[in-house]
Amino acid sequence: MALDSKVPKGPIKDKWTDYKNHIDLVNPANKRNIDIIVVGTGLAGGSAAATLAELGYNVKAFAYQDSPRRAHSIAAQGGINAAKNYQGDGDSTYRLFYDTVKGGDYRSREANVYRLAEVSANIIDQCVAQGVPFARDYGGLLDNRSFGGVLVSRTFYAKGQTGQQLLLGAYSALNRQIARGKIEMFNRHEMLDVVKVDGKARGIIARNLITGEIERHSAHAVVIASGGYGNVYFLSTNAMGSNATAAWKIHKKGAYFANPCYTQIHPTCIPRSGDYQSKLTLMSESLRNDGRIWVPKNMDDVLAIREGRKKPTELSEEERDYYLERRYPAFGNLVPRDVASRAAKERCDAGYGVNATGEAVYLDFKTAINRYGKEQAKISGITNPSEAKIYELGQALIEEKYGNLFQMYEKIVDENPYKTPMMIYPATHYTMGGVWVDYNLMTTVPGLYCIGEANFSDHGANRLGASALMQGLADGYFVLPYTIGNYLSNDIRTGKISTDTTEFDEAEKEVKNKIDFFINNNGSKSVDYFHKRLGKVMWDKVGMARTEEGLKEAMSEIKAIREEFWKEVKVPGTAAEMNPELEKAGRVADFLELGELFAKDALDRNESCGGHFREESVELDGEQKGEAKRNDKDYAYVSAWEYKGEPADAVLHKEELEFKDIELKQRSYK
Amino acid sequence: MNLTLKIWRQKGPQDKGQMVDYKVTDISEHMSFLEMMDVLNEQLINSGDEPVAFDHDCREGICGMCSMYINGEAHGPDRGVTTCQLHMRMFKDGDTITIEPFRAAAFPVIKDLVVDRMAFERIQQAGGYISINTSGNTQDGNAIPISKHAADEAMDAATCIGCGACVASCKNSSAMLFVGAKVSQYALLPQGQVEAADRVKNMVAQMDLEGFGNCTNTGACEIECPKGISLENIARMNREFLKANVKG
């Protein structure tokens, strides 16, 4: 099947308006006869479900947690971008569009990104009207902060809990419709397959996670909003339950999966402390504004620190290697996420990691504390302040800016980051790849939509900070409600979809068979055992730096783990009860397939772009020597993979990317 | 360190349930409490027993999914943290730790340490929102200035994660801190004024219907709340409730 992105004709700034003017609408009386299923109720799914219900459709929404308020969108800290230009610093729709395409290393679809930038301002207005308590300045107007990779201040925030507040906003809109009976909410339910009738998505099979009951649900269209697949690495900043099952099941039923190799590895996370580690915690990127990143210059000091013979504070300036400032004098500690992450890996691979696992670097606030302390002393009119006084004043200022993060660090690591430098290391954070969708956010299966992090569309090969919340809400509040109506306008005479058909019988049988297999397979190893092994292969060979040899090994190793999994996995308990191990087994089974496709995609893309770094594709000389080298001539396309049984047999379809409104440039941070 | 765990095991809602003793060894002080539970579960699976079911998700203290009543305190002995942020360094080698579900009539046990908090959902559905549709034509976000003080105070109330620790800690199983926080967030903002009276009446009515107790100002909820939601929110809710009923 040829890929058609269905991008409307015309100048980029008019596309969305023209599109909206020409789509078919469904009249309110007919909307009452149309059902829509929404799987996942985070920012994207929650906002979509609420808006579709407001429009008059009957919505069935599904979440695996006990409440939509628990979706992992809630953990986003920093903020949400919007081209409001409240600061008068030159921001505009075009500039947000430009920054997002450039930040994505020129691997996203222009028309989608422009639309995202265009609706961004509406999101803020909508959320304010819902009662989201955004930060305000003393004049009572909305406050902004700046974020990495851009030159304007366009990020709106609610303390360090912006994701929480936006999700609770969408959740309140959802609750209003649940109360009115327009949304039927299925908490503690997991979608285990999509059902197609005559080639169209017409329903899902879901498991009630409390009773274990398998249920059939029909609808005229199905929307997948189940988030990203970062947990393929086992350790990530995702929630423990975050999974790719809904996205992977629809892939197996015909939806192409795009750019799985584009993963964001965030540079400032709290390092792993041991093999028991279950997840990693992110520290906001904003810390790099004031922190300096370093490792010791001499190996003797590294060993002394690891063995506890020396403290990092005892090392003089000359004994420290501020490697980001050394390698990237222009941007220093503020290089984009992918660059900062790779540089940390390079030092740790060379043996300079500063904790017991060898995977940690320092993030040091001493310079900033001193600088702020001196400033504060001057402002307060203190002449000849003592070192201790300067430190005290500086610390107070740092505490005002990052207090909650410092406290979180201290709770986890049990060290006072005001006195001794923080230890950080990169961790998987976000997946830019996902289910392929066209301009309508429809997958390659008619009537099957995919929104939010679960789709691939807007961030290219790298996502900028504060853009995930923007995309989730844009898709759910302002894009999907239009595009899905255009499709459903052809369904007004269809009538209720029956679940009593052979298509539902077969899908349900398949789901039940798999569950029975897990329960009856008398294996010897737990689900986590396999998940951890998969994660290790992914991290070592499909992580921050990838090679042809490593990727080929990863593919065969993942296949081997998968085969062993199906022989040896052990799931206690029964199918007809709450059974968290059974839930995990199904999810890990899907990760074991997705991981292999991920490696295959990374192998195909022999260029370095954004979060995808191939050691074979680096600049060989000049100022950029050793840096990532993108190859626009051969790889300016979206890789959309068609399922053919084994992940290794997946067939590649290319969507060529055209850049009409932006000139392609190599990124430089030297 | 080596520990003895006394854990509430209950097969299902109808089962009577009982405390069961377990031993775990070689627990690192750097582990989180839930990682210690992972170690126990791995041990149980490998020995052919059923692992302990417990709710958890983000493991960074924001989703509100994890619960657990540890040594008689919701979210355990540390302050300002959820169970997932509690670390084993709070305990000593040889300790016996008692782990129970959040207990309240309105939070029935589903299995082991997992409870049903749907009562909270129904209270939110009764009025925890502002009636505004998504249109794309909402007025500009800066059209109504909101004082920084009010915005910050609304934010402090909105920071509630809906975990239910307040209910579990209260001798009356009162949900007034939870409901007060939501009522306060909207009461402090101009957007919330239009529906203020109906909101507080409907949410309080639903709260009573769910079987939560009344507030007797003990203040345990405020101390155990992982997000430091202040008792002032309960006072504000009471004022709003009175105002709504006096005005009719």
Side-chain angles (χ1 to χ4, degrees), chain A residues 86 125 128 161 240 279 526, chain B residues 42 57 60 140-141 159 191:
Chain A
Y86 280 158
D125 299 337
V128 167
Q161 292 137 269
M240 299 302 287
K279 79 151 267 159
S526 70
Chain B
E42 188 76 12
D57 203 26
E60 49 189 279
D140 187 86
T159 237
Q191 303 95 303

Side-chain angles (χ1 to χ4, degrees), chain A residues 80 119-128 470 473-474 477-478:
Chain A
I80 176 166
V119 303
S120 66
N122 268 335
I123 297 174
I124 303 303
D125 299 337
Q126 180 67 27
C127 293
V128 167
M470 172 173 69
L473 289 181
Y477 281 137
F478 296 116

